[in-house]
Amino acid sequence: MAKILFVMTGADQRTLADGGKKRTGFWADEAVIPYEAFKAAGHEITVATPGGVVPPVDPASLSAGANGSDENAAAVRAVVEGAAEFGNPSALSEVRVGDFDAVYVPGGQGPMEDLAVDADSGRILTQAMESGLPVGVVCHGPAALLAAVKEDGTNAYAGYRITAFSNTEERLAGNADTARWLLQDRLTEAGLKVEVGEPWAPHVQVDRNVVTGQNPASSGSLAAELLKKLAAPASVTPSGPGS
């Protein structure tokens, strides 16, 4: 049994380019699909958020449209509302990375509001990378990697091949014109090698101990890859950039 830390947003609103606010949070199936896969494999999950607040779910992610049917939406809602881990989070400031075997960051636009600048989240992700722990991040979750800054000012994940919610997907979703910044652009500026696939299609990148998924459709594939990492013998993470 492995212990997996879910680093999750505590933000229920995102700030728009004009200073306005829009409801957000974590995207439900990006948390639920990996949660169910990890639990089915016998692993233990701990959720942690800034300040230990209960992670807010983006209400749009609970709709039938977002989940393919009313039945699927009801099943996802049941996990979000019923899983003890989501309702009783720890504070990121109290997390000891050495207590865990992997770190996972689900998306939704909430991480762009808080985890992108959260020092404790950045510390956890930096220490996880340096320790060679498997790190999984999906959709807008890679915003959390922006806070993983080393003492020399460089990003701990610079040079890693990753994927994330793309500029094209932001435009297609109608978010690009109202956003303060775009995730693909900001990650590229931080030195990460962002590689994206077709909009809305499953797309996963694996580079050393880091597994990233582009969008909600990638959550299942990402969870499968992270489970492979947990099943594999531990190895030292190379220090050079990804090939």
Side-chain angles (χ1 to χ4, degrees):
M1 180 187 74
K3 294 183 178 181
I4 304 174
L5 176 68
F6 274 41
V7 174
M8 298 184 68
T9 183
D12 63 1
Q13 297 185 83
R14 66 182 178 98
T15 305
L16 305 177
D18 64 2
K21 301 285 187 178
K22 185 176 181 180
R23 185 76 182 272
T24 190
F26 71 90
W27 199 257
D29 63 359
E30 294 173 14
V32 169
I33 291 173
Y35 173 88
E36 292 191 310
F38 300 153
K39 294 286 279 191
H43 300 313
E44 178 182 325
I45 293 170
T46 296
V47 172
T49 65
V53 302
V54 173
V57 62
D58 189 323
S61 70
L62 297 174
S63 68
N67 293 283
S69 69
D70 289 327
E71 182 179 6
N72 289 343
V76 167
R77 181 185 290 273
V79 176
V80 169
E81 296 179 350
E85 294 90 343
F86 295 138
N88 187 32
S90 300
L92 289 173
S93 60
E94 299 173 354
V95 168
R96 286 169 38 90
V97 173
D99 293 337
F100 296 94
D101 302 295
V103 177
Y104 175 66
V105 187
Q109 294 196 10
M112 296 179 70
E113 189 75 16
D114 59 358
L115 298 185
V117 294
D118 187 277
D120 290 309
S121 176
R123 169 185 60 82
I124 291 165
L125 289 166
T126 299
Q127 291 177 356
M129 185 277 295
E130 292 175 343
S131 301
L133 296 186
V135 176
V137 196
V138 71
C139 200
H140 288 91
L145 301 180
L146 295 171
V149 179
K150 298 187 293 185
E151 291 184 2
D152 64 4
T154 62
N155 191 284
Y157 292 80
Y160 275 74
R161 288 182 294 105
I162 69 159
T163 191
F165 202 68
S166 67
N167 288 356
T168 299
E169 287 167 318
E170 293 284 19
R171 287 192 290 271
L172 291 172
N175 296 325
D177 291 340
T178 61
R180 290 183 296 164
W181 47 273
L182 297 179
L183 181 57
Q184 183 180 348
D185 291 344
R186 189 64 66 85
L187 291 166
T188 300
E189 291 166 3
L192 288 77
K193 299 179 179 179
V194 184
E195 301 180 8
V196 300
E198 292 297 317
W200 315 124
H203 178 68
V204 171
Q205 287 284 342
V206 180
D207 188 350
R208 290 161 281 178
N209 59 314
V210 180
V211 183
T212 50
Q214 180 171 323
N215 45 38
S218 306
S219 301
S221 299
L222 184 150
E225 291 292 341
L226 204 62
L227 286 171
K228 290 179 186 177
K229 294 284 187 186
L230 287 168
S235 61
V236 178
T237 304
S239 60
S243 58

